[in-house]
Amino acid sequence: MNLREILSAVYGETGYVVPDSFFGSPSPDDIQVCFLANRASSYLREKGFQRLIKRFTITLTTSETYALPSDYLEIVPDTAYIDGRIDAAYLPTSAPTWAWLKSQNSTSSYTCFSRIIDNELNINAPSPGEVLAFEYISNCPITDSTGVTFKQRFTADTDEWLLDDDLIILETKWRFEKAKGIEGWEVSAQESKDYRNSVMARDKTAKTIGPRQDSVLAEPYTPLWVS
């Protein structure tokens, strides 16, 4: 859904008249709900939904610092590897270990030790030509109407939301009701929380989603007979 459709749903459920547009509207209510939608968006992007997970690769050179993706929010833990190797890269390397490595003034290291400092990826003694890959969470849950330009915040009615539509509708609705002093906003906030928990529970698959119903095994699993 685009922003106008999202906010129209919020207004319709709250009993407000839906305007022709929200961004650029002279109405204080319309302006406020746009700000609240952006607050809701910023809140939801922090929940680690898989729709915002991306994979990033860097070909190492002799440089020890590299730019992070432009939409970088946070790394997905334990996903950093050098392509072609089975041993994990240390990302992030702990501060004490990093300080120790730097105190050694080493010019080579088989293990890829890396750390994010001042919004740059720092790699200790990189091996030129190797490719470091890792997963990260994007800070852009929104695109423009073309779907090409990713955005951190809504800036136009035509901007499109990338996550579950009801997530942003419910999250914006209770915030708008609270701001307007509408009775029952607490109920809307709880509904939003319950729905968010439900979406988060199914957002990422698990190895085991429930007990096997066709299993015929029963304890003990180890044969007790002696040949």
Side-chain angles (χ1 to χ4, degrees):
M1 297 176 72
N2 63 34
L3 180 65
R4 187 179 188 284
E5 293 168 331
I6 291 166
L7 298 185
S8 293
V10 171
Y11 266 29
E13 293 182 20
T14 312
Y16 276 64
V17 176
V18 177
D20 293 333
S21 63
F22 288 91
F23 269 99
S25 169
S27 167
D29 292 339
D30 300 344
I31 296 171
Q32 185 177 35
V33 78
C34 290
F35 277 97
L36 292 173
N38 276 324
R39 175 56 53 212
S41 168
S42 296
Y43 174 77
L44 291 171
R45 77 177 186 184
E46 299 291 330
K47 298 305 177 181
F49 290 104
Q50 56 81 19
R51 179 64 176 79
L52 297 181
I53 295 177
K54 298 182 180 181
R55 189 171 186 267
F56 187 68
T57 60
I58 299 174
T59 301
L60 303 184
T61 64
T62 56
S63 173
E64 292 191 345
T65 58
Y66 300 84
L68 290 167
S70 59
D71 62 338
Y72 178 87
L73 179 64
E74 63 178 294
I75 191 169
V76 177
D78 305 322
T79 61
Y81 281 83
I82 294 293
D83 281 358
R85 285 168 50 176
I86 62 173
D87 56 314
Y90 280 78
L91 177 60
T93 301
S94 68
T97 300
W98 187 259
W100 178 83
L101 288 168
K102 289 304 175 185
S103 72
Q104 306 305 304
N105 294 320
S106 175
T107 58
S108 64
S109 175
Y110 180 78
T111 302
C112 181
F113 291 98
S114 49
R115 190 162 183 245
I116 295 172
I117 302 175
D118 194 22
N119 289 326
E120 286 188 321
L121 181 64
N122 290 250
I123 297 179
N124 183 68
S127 298
E130 289 189 330
V131 177
L132 174 65
F134 60 87
E135 293 181 359
Y136 73 97
I137 297 176
S138 170
N139 62 15
C140 295
I142 300 161
T143 70
D144 65 359
S145 59
T146 67
V148 174
T149 303
F150 290 84
K151 310 170 75 171
Q152 295 187 46
R153 292 176 177 81
F154 294 107
T155 59
D157 283 8
T158 54
D159 287 344
E160 297 182 355
W161 175 244
L162 293 177
L163 304 181
D164 184 281
D165 294 327
D166 286 322
L167 277 175
I168 189 77
I169 291 172
L170 292 171
E171 192 66 35
T172 304
K173 178 187 173 186
W174 79 259
R175 293 172 185 272
F176 183 70
E177 290 177 342
K178 181 181 180 182
K180 294 304 175 186
I182 297 175
E183 184 177 353
W185 70 264
E186 298 93 339
V187 176
S188 296
Q190 185 61 49
E191 180 186 5
S192 178
K193 179 180 178 180
D194 291 343
Y195 185 76
R196 182 174 67 252
N197 288 342
S198 177
V199 174
M200 290 176 66
R202 67 171 180 262
D203 187 61
K204 298 174 184 176
T205 57
K207 291 182 179 179
T208 302
I209 60 175
R212 288 284 300 274
Q213 300 299 317
D214 58 346
S215 177
V216 295
L217 295 177
E219 294 182 352
Y221 302 118
T222 302
L224 301 181
W225 53 270
V226 179
S227 60

PDB file of all heavy atoms in Angstrom, residues 130-162:
ATOM      1  N   GLU A 130      40.227 -11.236  -1.750  1.00  0.00           N
ATOM      2  CA  GLU A 130      39.210 -12.028  -1.065  1.00  0.00           C
ATOM      3  C   GLU A 130      37.904 -11.240  -1.004  1.00  0.00           C
ATOM      4  O   GLU A 130      37.893 -10.001  -1.008  1.00  0.00           O
ATOM      5  CB  GLU A 130      39.659 -12.416   0.343  1.00  0.00           C
ATOM      6  CG  GLU A 130      40.769 -13.460   0.364  1.00  0.00           C
ATOM      7  CD  GLU A 130      41.029 -13.987   1.754  1.00  0.00           C
ATOM      8  OE1 GLU A 130      40.828 -13.231   2.730  1.00  0.00           O
ATOM      9  OE2 GLU A 130      41.435 -15.158   1.868  1.00  0.00           O
ATOM     10  N   VAL A 131      36.796 -11.972  -0.942  1.00  0.00           N
ATOM     11  CA  VAL A 131      35.477 -11.337  -0.929  1.00  0.00           C
ATOM     12  C   VAL A 131      34.808 -11.622   0.406  1.00  0.00           C
ATOM     13  O   VAL A 131      34.551 -12.783   0.757  1.00  0.00           O
ATOM     14  CB  VAL A 131      34.591 -11.854  -2.081  1.00  0.00           C
ATOM     15  CG1 VAL A 131      33.205 -11.227  -2.009  1.00  0.00           C
ATOM     16  CG2 VAL A 131      35.242 -11.540  -3.424  1.00  0.00           C
ATOM     17  N   LEU A 132      34.550 -10.575   1.141  1.00  0.00           N
ATOM     18  CA  LEU A 132      33.838 -10.686   2.413  1.00  0.00           C
ATOM     19  C   LEU A 132      32.358 -10.463   2.168  1.00  0.00           C
ATOM     20  O   LEU A 132      31.970  -9.487   1.516  1.00  0.00           O
ATOM     21  CB  LEU A 132      34.371  -9.657   3.411  1.00  0.00           C
ATOM     22  CG  LEU A 132      33.623  -9.567   4.753  1.00  0.00           C
ATOM     23  CD1 LEU A 132      33.771 -10.869   5.539  1.00  0.00           C
ATOM     24  CD2 LEU A 132      34.118  -8.382   5.566  1.00  0.00           C
ATOM     25  N   ALA A 133      31.539 -11.366   2.677  1.00  0.00           N
ATOM     26  CA  ALA A 133      30.094 -11.248   2.500  1.00  0.00           C
ATOM     27  C   ALA A 133      29.406 -11.340   3.860  1.00  0.00           C
ATOM     28  O   ALA A 133      29.847 -12.086   4.735  1.00  0.00           O
ATOM     29  CB  ALA A 133      29.569 -12.344   1.575  1.00  0.00           C
ATOM     30  N   PHE A 134      28.341 -10.571   4.024  1.00  0.00           N
ATOM     31  CA  PHE A 134      27.555 -10.642   5.258  1.00  0.00           C
ATOM     32  C   PHE A 134      26.140 -10.150   4.983  1.00  0.00           C
ATOM     33  O   PHE A 134      25.871  -9.486   3.984  1.00  0.00           O
ATOM     34  CB  PHE A 134      28.207  -9.826   6.384  1.00  0.00           C
ATOM     35  CG  PHE A 134      28.374  -8.362   6.083  1.00  0.00           C
ATOM     36  CD1 PHE A 134      27.355  -7.451   6.344  1.00  0.00           C
ATOM     37  CD2 PHE A 134      29.559  -7.878   5.546  1.00  0.00           C
ATOM     38  CE1 PHE A 134      27.509  -6.097   6.074  1.00  0.00           C
ATOM     39  CE2 PHE A 134      29.731  -6.530   5.272  1.00  0.00           C
ATOM     40  CZ  PHE A 134      28.705  -5.634   5.533  1.00  0.00           C
ATOM     41  N   GLU A 135      25.237 -10.510   5.890  1.00  0.00           N
ATOM     42  CA  GLU A 135      23.863 -10.042   5.809  1.00  0.00           C
ATOM     43  C   GLU A 135      23.678  -8.848   6.746  1.00  0.00           C
ATOM     44  O   GLU A 135      24.308  -8.778   7.802  1.00  0.00           O
ATOM     45  CB  GLU A 135      22.882 -11.156   6.192  1.00  0.00           C
ATOM     46  CG  GLU A 135      22.847 -12.304   5.205  1.00  0.00           C
ATOM     47  CD  GLU A 135      21.850 -13.384   5.601  1.00  0.00           C
ATOM     48  OE1 GLU A 135      21.203 -13.244   6.666  1.00  0.00           O
ATOM     49  OE2 GLU A 135      21.719 -14.366   4.854  1.00  0.00           O
ATOM     50  N   TYR A 136      22.823  -7.931   6.307  1.00  0.00           N
ATOM     51  CA  TYR A 136      22.524  -6.776   7.153  1.00  0.00           C
ATOM     52  C   TYR A 136      21.054  -6.406   7.013  1.00  0.00           C
ATOM     53  O   TYR A 136      20.361  -6.858   6.086  1.00  0.00           O
ATOM     54  CB  TYR A 136      23.406  -5.586   6.765  1.00  0.00           C
ATOM     55  CG  TYR A 136      23.034  -4.931   5.450  1.00  0.00           C
ATOM     56  CD1 TYR A 136      22.234  -3.789   5.401  1.00  0.00           C
ATOM     57  CD2 TYR A 136      23.481  -5.463   4.234  1.00  0.00           C
ATOM     58  CE1 TYR A 136      21.905  -3.188   4.205  1.00  0.00           C
ATOM     59  CE2 TYR A 136      23.152  -4.875   3.024  1.00  0.00           C
ATOM     60  CZ  TYR A 136      22.358  -3.730   3.012  1.00  0.00           C
ATOM     61  OH  TYR A 136      22.016  -3.149   1.818  1.00  0.00           O
ATOM     62  N   ILE A 137      20.585  -5.594   7.943  1.00  0.00           N
ATOM     63  CA  ILE A 137      19.200  -5.123   7.907  1.00  0.00           C
ATOM     64  C   ILE A 137      19.178  -3.716   7.340  1.00  0.00           C
ATOM     65  O   ILE A 137      19.926  -2.838   7.787  1.00  0.00           O
ATOM     66  CB  ILE A 137      18.563  -5.157   9.301  1.00  0.00           C
ATOM     67  CG1 ILE A 137      18.518  -6.602   9.806  1.00  0.00           C
ATOM     68  CG2 ILE A 137      17.157  -4.561   9.276  1.00  0.00           C
ATOM     69  CD1 ILE A 137      18.004  -6.744  11.215  1.00  0.00           C
ATOM     70  N   SER A 138      18.341  -3.505   6.346  1.00  0.00           N
ATOM     71  CA  SER A 138      18.234  -2.199   5.697  1.00  0.00           C
ATOM     72  C   SER A 138      17.454  -1.227   6.584  1.00  0.00           C
ATOM     73  O   SER A 138      16.539  -1.615   7.314  1.00  0.00           O
ATOM     74  CB  SER A 138      17.530  -2.347   4.352  1.00  0.00           C
ATOM     75  OG  SER A 138      17.208  -1.080   3.797  1.00  0.00           O
ATOM     76  N   ASN A 139      17.813   0.041   6.493  1.00  0.00           N
ATOM     77  CA  ASN A 139      17.085   1.075   7.234  1.00  0.00           C
ATOM     78  C   ASN A 139      16.002   1.721   6.382  1.00  0.00           C
ATOM     79  O   ASN A 139      15.450   2.765   6.756  1.00  0.00           O
ATOM     80  CB  ASN A 139      18.054   2.144   7.764  1.00  0.00           C
ATOM     81  CG  ASN A 139      18.797   2.878   6.645  1.00  0.00           C
ATOM     82  OD1 ASN A 139      18.427   2.804   5.479  1.00  0.00           O
ATOM     83  ND2 ASN A 139      19.857   3.585   7.014  1.00  0.00           N
ATOM     84  N   CYS A 140      15.688   1.121   5.236  1.00  0.00           N
ATOM     85  CA  CYS A 140      14.721   1.707   4.303  1.00  0.00           C
ATOM     86  C   CYS A 140      13.521   0.783   4.084  1.00  0.00           C
ATOM     87  O   CYS A 140      13.545  -0.063   3.171  1.00  0.00           O
ATOM     88  CB  CYS A 140      15.389   2.006   2.957  1.00  0.00           C
ATOM     89  SG  CYS A 140      16.663   3.274   3.022  1.00  0.00           S
ATOM     90  N   PRO A 141      12.468   0.920   4.876  1.00  0.00           N
ATOM     91  CA  PRO A 141      11.276   0.102   4.682  1.00  0.00           C
ATOM     92  C   PRO A 141      10.276   0.713   3.700  1.00  0.00           C
ATOM     93  O   PRO A 141       9.125   0.290   3.630  1.00  0.00           O
ATOM     94  CB  PRO A 141      10.678   0.046   6.091  1.00  0.00           C
ATOM     95  CG  PRO A 141      11.029   1.373   6.679  1.00  0.00           C
ATOM     96  CD  PRO A 141      12.359   1.761   6.085  1.00  0.00           C
ATOM     97  N   ILE A 142      10.726   1.707   2.933  1.00  0.00           N
ATOM     98  CA  ILE A 142       9.845   2.466   2.047  1.00  0.00           C
ATOM     99  C   ILE A 142      10.526   2.636   0.694  1.00  0.00           C
ATOM    100  O   ILE A 142      11.754   2.719   0.614  1.00  0.00           O
ATOM    101  CB  ILE A 142       9.556   3.858   2.657  1.00  0.00           C
ATOM    102  CG1 ILE A 142       8.874   3.723   4.022  1.00  0.00           C
ATOM    103  CG2 ILE A 142       8.711   4.719   1.725  1.00  0.00           C
ATOM    104  CD1 ILE A 142       8.978   4.973   4.875  1.00  0.00           C
ATOM    105  N   THR A 143       9.734   2.672  -0.368  1.00  0.00           N
ATOM    106  CA  THR A 143      10.259   3.038  -1.683  1.00  0.00           C
ATOM    107  C   THR A 143       9.394   4.138  -2.279  1.00  0.00           C
ATOM    108  O   THR A 143       8.269   4.377  -1.824  1.00  0.00           O
ATOM    109  CB  THR A 143      10.277   1.854  -2.673  1.00  0.00           C
ATOM    110  OG1 THR A 143       8.927   1.517  -3.034  1.00  0.00           O
ATOM    111  CG2 THR A 143      10.968   0.648  -2.084  1.00  0.00           C
ATOM    112  N   ASP A 144       9.922   4.791  -3.300  1.00  0.00           N
ATOM    113  CA  ASP A 144       9.072   5.732  -4.024  1.00  0.00           C
ATOM    114  C   ASP A 144       8.113   4.944  -4.909  1.00  0.00           C
ATOM    115  O   ASP A 144       8.110   3.708  -4.912  1.00  0.00           O
ATOM    116  CB  ASP A 144       9.927   6.712  -4.835  1.00  0.00           C
ATOM    117  CG  ASP A 144      10.710   6.026  -5.955  1.00  0.00           C
ATOM    118  OD1 ASP A 144      10.618   4.791  -6.100  1.00  0.00           O
ATOM    119  OD2 ASP A 144      11.432   6.733  -6.689  1.00  0.00           O
ATOM    120  N   SER A 145       7.292   5.645  -5.669  1.00  0.00           N
ATOM    121  CA  SER A 145       6.251   4.983  -6.453  1.00  0.00           C
ATOM    122  C   SER A 145       6.804   4.078  -7.545  1.00  0.00           C
ATOM    123  O   SER A 145       6.125   3.160  -8.011  1.00  0.00           O
ATOM    124  CB  SER A 145       5.323   6.036  -7.084  1.00  0.00           C
ATOM    125  OG  SER A 145       6.064   6.916  -7.918  1.00  0.00           O
ATOM    126  N   THR A 146       8.061   4.292  -7.940  1.00  0.00           N
ATOM    127  CA  THR A 146       8.657   3.457  -8.987  1.00  0.00           C
ATOM    128  C   THR A 146       9.220   2.150  -8.422  1.00  0.00           C
ATOM    129  O   THR A 146       9.518   1.232  -9.169  1.00  0.00           O
ATOM    130  CB  THR A 146       9.789   4.207  -9.709  1.00  0.00           C
ATOM    131  OG1 THR A 146      10.880   4.425  -8.792  1.00  0.00           O
ATOM    132  CG2 THR A 146       9.294   5.554 -10.230  1.00  0.00           C
ATOM    133  N   GLY A 147       9.400   2.107  -7.108  1.00  0.00           N
ATOM    134  CA  GLY A 147       9.989   0.932  -6.490  1.00  0.00           C
ATOM    135  C   GLY A 147      11.493   0.860  -6.646  1.00  0.00           C
ATOM    136  O   GLY A 147      12.109  -0.150  -6.311  1.00  0.00           O
ATOM    137  N   VAL A 148      12.091   1.933  -7.136  1.00  0.00           N
ATOM    138  CA  VAL A 148      13.536   1.955  -7.401  1.00  0.00           C
ATOM    139  C   VAL A 148      14.296   2.642  -6.277  1.00  0.00           C
ATOM    140  O   VAL A 148      15.341   2.162  -5.825  1.00  0.00           O
ATOM    141  CB  VAL A 148      13.821   2.649  -8.745  1.00  0.00           C
ATOM    142  CG1 VAL A 148      15.326   2.800  -8.946  1.00  0.00           C
ATOM    143  CG2 VAL A 148      13.193   1.854  -9.892  1.00  0.00           C
ATOM    144  N   THR A 149      13.789   3.769  -5.816  1.00  0.00           N
ATOM    145  CA  THR A 149      14.471   4.552  -4.786  1.00  0.00           C
ATOM    146  C   THR A 149      13.976   4.156  -3.408  1.00  0.00           C
ATOM    147  O   THR A 149      12.801   4.340  -3.084  1.00  0.00           O
ATOM    148  CB  THR A 149      14.238   6.058  -5.002  1.00  0.00           C
ATOM    149  OG1 THR A 149      14.681   6.422  -6.314  1.00  0.00           O
ATOM    150  CG2 THR A 149      14.987   6.871  -3.963  1.00  0.00           C
ATOM    151  N   PHE A 150      14.881   3.622  -2.583  1.00  0.00           N
ATOM    152  CA  PHE A 150      14.519   3.214  -1.230  1.00  0.00           C
ATOM    153  C   PHE A 150      14.665   4.402  -0.285  1.00  0.00           C
ATOM    154  O   PHE A 150      15.579   5.225  -0.421  1.00  0.00           O
ATOM    155  CB  PHE A 150      15.401   2.051  -0.775  1.00  0.00           C
ATOM    156  CG  PHE A 150      15.115   0.773  -1.504  1.00  0.00           C
ATOM    157  CD1 PHE A 150      15.691   0.512  -2.740  1.00  0.00           C
ATOM    158  CD2 PHE A 150      14.247  -0.163  -0.969  1.00  0.00           C
ATOM    159  CE1 PHE A 150      15.416  -0.666  -3.425  1.00  0.00           C
ATOM    160  CE2 PHE A 150      13.962  -1.345  -1.639  1.00  0.00           C
ATOM    161  CZ  PHE A 150      14.550  -1.593  -2.870  1.00  0.00           C
ATOM    162  N   LYS A 151      13.770   4.468   0.700  1.00  0.00           N
ATOM    163  CA  LYS A 151      13.713   5.646   1.560  1.00  0.00           C
ATOM    164  C   LYS A 151      13.556   5.235   3.032  1.00  0.00           C
ATOM    165  O   LYS A 151      12.944   4.204   3.334  1.00  0.00           O
ATOM    166  CB  LYS A 151      12.531   6.532   1.149  1.00  0.00           C
ATOM    167  CG  LYS A 151      12.487   6.837  -0.331  1.00  0.00           C
ATOM    168  CD  LYS A 151      11.191   7.511  -0.762  1.00  0.00           C
ATOM    169  CE  LYS A 151      11.127   8.953  -0.372  1.00  0.00           C
ATOM    170  NZ  LYS A 151       9.975   9.643  -0.980  1.00  0.00           N
ATOM    171  N   GLN A 152      14.081   6.069   3.907  1.00  0.00           N
ATOM    172  CA  GLN A 152      13.910   5.852   5.337  1.00  0.00           C
ATOM    173  C   GLN A 152      12.579   6.384   5.832  1.00  0.00           C
ATOM    174  O   GLN A 152      12.021   5.864   6.803  1.00  0.00           O
ATOM    175  CB  GLN A 152      15.039   6.521   6.120  1.00  0.00           C
ATOM    176  CG  GLN A 152      16.412   5.936   5.876  1.00  0.00           C
ATOM    177  CD  GLN A 152      17.459   6.521   6.803  1.00  0.00           C
ATOM    178  OE1 GLN A 152      17.233   6.643   8.002  1.00  0.00           O
ATOM    179  NE2 GLN A 152      18.596   6.890   6.252  1.00  0.00           N
ATOM    180  N   ARG A 153      12.054   7.420   5.181  1.00  0.00           N
ATOM    181  CA  ARG A 153      10.825   8.066   5.633  1.00  0.00           C
ATOM    182  C   ARG A 153       9.903   8.376   4.457  1.00  0.00           C
ATOM    183  O   ARG A 153      10.353   8.557   3.336  1.00  0.00           O
ATOM    184  CB  ARG A 153      11.164   9.364   6.381  1.00  0.00           C
ATOM    185  CG  ARG A 153      11.878   9.129   7.702  1.00  0.00           C
ATOM    186  CD  ARG A 153      12.279  10.449   8.362  1.00  0.00           C
ATOM    187  NE  ARG A 153      12.886  10.212   9.659  1.00  0.00           N
ATOM    188  CZ  ARG A 153      14.157   9.862   9.840  1.00  0.00           C
ATOM    189  NH1 ARG A 153      14.955   9.730   8.788  1.00  0.00           N
ATOM    190  NH2 ARG A 153      14.635   9.653  11.050  1.00  0.00           N
ATOM    191  N   PHE A 154       8.625   8.439   4.778  1.00  0.00           N
ATOM    192  CA  PHE A 154       7.640   8.873   3.793  1.00  0.00           C
ATOM    193  C   PHE A 154       7.827  10.362   3.523  1.00  0.00           C
ATOM    194  O   PHE A 154       7.956  11.171   4.446  1.00  0.00           O
ATOM    195  CB  PHE A 154       6.218   8.655   4.317  1.00  0.00           C
ATOM    196  CG  PHE A 154       5.829   7.210   4.502  1.00  0.00           C
ATOM    197  CD1 PHE A 154       5.719   6.674   5.783  1.00  0.00           C
ATOM    198  CD2 PHE A 154       5.561   6.397   3.411  1.00  0.00           C
ATOM    199  CE1 PHE A 154       5.341   5.353   5.968  1.00  0.00           C
ATOM    200  CE2 PHE A 154       5.188   5.070   3.585  1.00  0.00           C
ATOM    201  CZ  PHE A 154       5.078   4.543   4.864  1.00  0.00           C
ATOM    202  N   THR A 155       7.823  10.726   2.257  1.00  0.00           N
ATOM    203  CA  THR A 155       7.890  12.141   1.879  1.00  0.00           C
ATOM    204  C   THR A 155       6.815  12.509   0.862  1.00  0.00           C
ATOM    205  O   THR A 155       6.714  13.664   0.472  1.00  0.00           O
ATOM    206  CB  THR A 155       9.268  12.492   1.289  1.00  0.00           C
ATOM    207  OG1 THR A 155       9.521  11.668   0.136  1.00  0.00           O
ATOM    208  CG2 THR A 155      10.376  12.277   2.317  1.00  0.00           C
ATOM    209  N   ALA A 156       6.032  11.516   0.421  1.00  0.00           N
ATOM    210  CA  ALA A 156       4.981  11.776  -0.567  1.00  0.00           C
ATOM    211  C   ALA A 156       3.855  10.768  -0.380  1.00  0.00           C
ATOM    212  O   ALA A 156       4.074   9.658   0.119  1.00  0.00           O
ATOM    213  CB  ALA A 156       5.541  11.691  -1.987  1.00  0.00           C
ATOM    214  N   ASP A 157       2.667  11.149  -0.780  1.00  0.00           N
ATOM    215  CA  ASP A 157       1.506  10.265  -0.662  1.00  0.00           C
ATOM    216  C   ASP A 157       1.685   8.974  -1.460  1.00  0.00           C
ATOM    217  O   ASP A 157       1.099   7.943  -1.138  1.00  0.00           O
ATOM    218  CB  ASP A 157       0.244  10.973  -1.156  1.00  0.00           C
ATOM    219  CG  ASP A 157      -0.287  11.981  -0.143  1.00  0.00           C
ATOM    220  OD1 ASP A 157       0.410  12.232   0.861  1.00  0.00           O
ATOM    221  OD2 ASP A 157      -1.392  12.514  -0.357  1.00  0.00           O
ATOM    222  N   THR A 158       2.508   9.036  -2.507  1.00  0.00           N
ATOM    223  CA  THR A 158       2.665   7.882  -3.389  1.00  0.00           C
ATOM    224  C   THR A 158       3.759   6.921  -2.935  1.00  0.00           C
ATOM    225  O   THR A 158       3.952   5.879  -3.564  1.00  0.00           O
ATOM    226  CB  THR A 158       2.978   8.358  -4.818  1.00  0.00           C
ATOM    227  OG1 THR A 158       4.114   9.235  -4.787  1.00  0.00           O
ATOM    228  CG2 THR A 158       1.783   9.089  -5.418  1.00  0.00           C
ATOM    229  N   ASP A 159       4.478   7.264  -1.877  1.00  0.00           N
ATOM    230  CA  ASP A 159       5.520   6.365  -1.364  1.00  0.00           C
ATOM    231  C   ASP A 159       4.903   5.053  -0.900  1.00  0.00           C
ATOM    232  O   ASP A 159       3.803   5.035  -0.319  1.00  0.00           O
ATOM    233  CB  ASP A 159       6.264   7.015  -0.190  1.00  0.00           C
ATOM    234  CG  ASP A 159       7.192   8.116  -0.646  1.00  0.00           C
ATOM    235  OD1 ASP A 159       7.500   8.176  -1.848  1.00  0.00           O
ATOM    236  OD2 ASP A 159       7.617   8.928   0.203  1.00  0.00           O
ATOM    237  N   GLU A 160       5.619   3.952  -1.134  1.00  0.00           N
ATOM    238  CA  GLU A 160       5.072   2.628  -0.857  1.00  0.00           C
ATOM    239  C   GLU A 160       5.770   1.958   0.325  1.00  0.00           C
ATOM    240  O   GLU A 160       6.987   2.046   0.477  1.00  0.00           O
ATOM    241  CB  GLU A 160       5.178   1.754  -2.113  1.00  0.00           C
ATOM    242  CG  GLU A 160       4.359   2.290  -3.275  1.00  0.00           C
ATOM    243  CD  GLU A 160       4.426   1.404  -4.506  1.00  0.00           C
ATOM    244  OE1 GLU A 160       5.199   0.416  -4.490  1.00  0.00           O
ATOM    245  OE2 GLU A 160       3.722   1.710  -5.488  1.00  0.00           O
ATOM    246  N   TRP A 161       4.989   1.281   1.144  1.00  0.00           N
ATOM    247  CA  TRP A 161       5.455   0.580   2.339  1.00  0.00           C
ATOM    248  C   TRP A 161       5.825  -0.850   1.959  1.00  0.00           C
ATOM    249  O   TRP A 161       5.063  -1.545   1.274  1.00  0.00           O
ATOM    250  CB  TRP A 161       4.341   0.597   3.376  1.00  0.00           C
ATOM    251  CG  TRP A 161       4.571  -0.156   4.631  1.00  0.00           C
ATOM    252  CD1 TRP A 161       3.871  -1.244   5.067  1.00  0.00           C
ATOM    253  CD2 TRP A 161       5.533   0.130   5.663  1.00  0.00           C
ATOM    254  NE1 TRP A 161       4.332  -1.659   6.298  1.00  0.00           N
ATOM    255  CE2 TRP A 161       5.362  -0.825   6.682  1.00  0.00           C
ATOM    256  CE3 TRP A 161       6.530   1.093   5.801  1.00  0.00           C
ATOM    257  CZ2 TRP A 161       6.145  -0.845   7.832  1.00  0.00           C
ATOM    258  CZ3 TRP A 161       7.307   1.079   6.945  1.00  0.00           C
ATOM    259  CH2 TRP A 161       7.114   0.127   7.938  1.00  0.00           C
ATOM    260  N   LEU A 162       7.005  -1.316   2.401  1.00  0.00           N
ATOM    261  CA  LEU A 162       7.504  -2.621   1.980  1.00  0.00           C
ATOM    262  C   LEU A 162       7.089  -3.773   2.896  1.00  0.00           C
ATOM    263  O   LEU A 162       7.109  -4.923   2.475  1.00  0.00           O
ATOM    264  CB  LEU A 162       9.036  -2.586   1.895  1.00  0.00           C
ATOM    265  CG  LEU A 162       9.629  -1.695   0.817  1.00  0.00           C
ATOM    266  CD1 LEU A 162      11.145  -1.702   0.905  1.00  0.00           C
ATOM    267  CD2 LEU A 162       9.167  -2.136  -0.565  1.00  0.00           C
TER     268      LEU A 162
END
